[in-house]
Amino acid sequence: MLQRKVRLWFMFVIVLFIAGCNILPSEHSLLSALEKLAKYEEEFHEQQKPLVELEKKEKEIYDRIMSLGMKQFREILKLSEQALEIIEKREKRIKKEYESIQLAQKQLEEVKKEISSLSDQPIKEDASHLAQLLEKRYMTYDELYNYYQQALQLETDLYRMFQNKQLTLEQLEQQVVKINSAYDEIKKANEQFNLYTVQYNEAKKALINKLK
C-alpha cells in the first residue's frame, strides 16, 4: 500500500540489556506489553511485499487493456477478469493487515494500564507520550484502510465497466479520476502513518535509554 515500509522498532533488543538495568517490575511489565504489541503487527508487515506485487500485476493488466481497442473485446474481457481476481487477493491481504492492527490497538489498552502503574513521573510522561503517538498512528491507519477499501471498490467498478461494449471514453475518464482521487487520499494518509511510526520509534528508543 504505497510504500508503507517504515516499521516499528521491535523490542527484541530490550532482552539484550534488560538484565543489566535497574528496571522496576512495573517498568518491566510496560516493556513486555510494548513487545507484545509489536509482535501483533508482524502480520501487518508480512502483507507488504505481496500487496506491492499484486498492485504491480494489476497495473500491468490495466496498461495492457488500455493499449487494446474495443475490436479486441474478447481479450479485454479476459484481462478484466484477471484484474478482478487480483483485487480479490488484495482484499484478503488488506483484511489480514487490518486484523493485525486491530489486535495491536487492543494491546495498546494494556500498554496504557501498565503506564498508569508507573511511579517514576518523568518515565510515566514519556511513556504516555509514546502511547499517544501509537493512538494517532492507529487512527491514521483506520483512515488509510478506509481509503484503500474505497479504491478497491472503484477499481472493481472500473474492470466491470471494461466488460461493457458500450463503455464511453467519458465514463472511463470519470472513473479514472475517482480512482486517482482515492489514491491521493491514500498517499496522504500513508505519509502521516509513516511519520507517526518514525516518531514512535524515536520516542520508544529514548524511553528505553532512560530505563538503562
Side-chain angles (χ1 to χ4, degrees):
M1 191 187 292
L2 294 176
Q3 302 298 317
R4 291 172 303 147
K5 298 298 183 183
V6 182
R7 300 179 62 141
L8 285 178
W9 186 69
F10 287 102
M11 303 297 293
F12 305 127
V13 292
I14 295 171
V15 180
L16 299 178
F17 65 80
I18 204 168
C21 302
N22 296 317
I23 298 181
L24 298 174
S26 59
E27 295 167 351
H28 186 284
S29 295
L30 171 61
L31 295 178
S32 296
L34 285 169
E35 183 177 5
K36 188 174 181 180
L37 182 148
K39 287 179 179 178
Y40 278 137
E41 290 205 20
E42 275 300 303
E43 185 73 33
F44 169 85
H45 298 298
E46 289 174 4
Q47 305 310 313
Q48 300 302 294
K49 186 176 179 180
L51 269 172
V52 170
E53 290 175 351
L54 288 169
E55 288 167 358
K56 183 179 178 182
K57 286 181 181 179
E58 186 187 326
K59 178 62 167 57
E60 290 172 353
I61 291 175
Y62 172 78
D63 289 342
R64 176 62 179 155
I65 290 175
M66 294 302 292
S67 70
L68 299 173
M70 290 307 285
K71 289 183 179 180
Q72 295 173 282
F73 187 65
R74 187 171 296 179
E75 180 65 15
I76 290 175
L77 283 176
K78 179 182 175 181
L79 290 170
S80 61
E81 284 298 331
Q82 291 176 6
L84 289 169
E85 289 175 4
I86 290 175
I87 289 176
E88 287 184 10
K89 292 178 181 179
R90 288 170 64 194
E91 287 177 336
K92 290 178 181 178
R93 291 285 180 182
I94 198 68
K95 184 178 180 182
K96 286 184 179 180
E97 184 182 277
Y98 176 76
E99 289 171 349
S100 71
I101 292 295
Q102 289 292 296
L103 289 172
Q105 281 184 285
K106 290 181 180 178
Q107 180 60 20
L108 176 56
E109 296 307 311
E110 294 301 316
V111 169
K112 290 179 180 178
K113 289 180 183 178
E114 297 299 339
I115 292 173
S116 67
S117 67
L118 294 174
S119 57
D120 187 305
Q121 193 58 34
I123 295 294
K124 191 172 185 176
E125 289 177 1
D126 287 351
S128 295
H129 174 62
L130 200 69
Q132 289 172 6
L133 286 172
L134 265 181
E135 203 160 44
K136 291 177 180 178
R137 180 173 176 269
Y138 291 139
M139 287 176 64
T140 302
Y141 175 81
D142 287 341
E143 293 180 5
L144 184 59
Y145 174 77
N146 288 332
Y147 286 133
Y148 198 80
Q149 288 290 86
Q150 291 173 24
L152 288 177
Q153 184 56 59
L154 289 169
E155 288 176 286
T156 297
D157 294 341
L158 174 67
Y159 292 110
R160 286 176 178 161
M161 289 170 68
F162 279 130
Q163 297 176 344
N164 178 9
K165 266 191 173 183
Q166 307 305 317
L167 175 65
T168 66
L169 179 59
E170 182 180 0
Q171 289 173 325
L172 177 59
E173 289 177 342
Q174 289 176 350
Q175 191 67 13
V176 170
V177 167
K178 291 178 183 178
I179 292 172
N180 288 338
S181 178
Y183 274 101
D184 284 342
E185 295 299 330
I186 289 173
K187 183 179 179 181
K188 292 176 187 177
N190 183 68
E191 290 174 349
Q192 187 62 60
F193 177 80
N194 282 345
L195 177 60
Y196 282 136
T197 301
V198 170
Q199 292 175 344
Y200 171 73
N201 288 340
E202 293 174 348
K204 182 162 59 176
K205 188 175 181 179
L207 177 63
I208 299 303
N209 288 333
K210 282 190 176 183
L211 292 173
K212 287 183 179 181

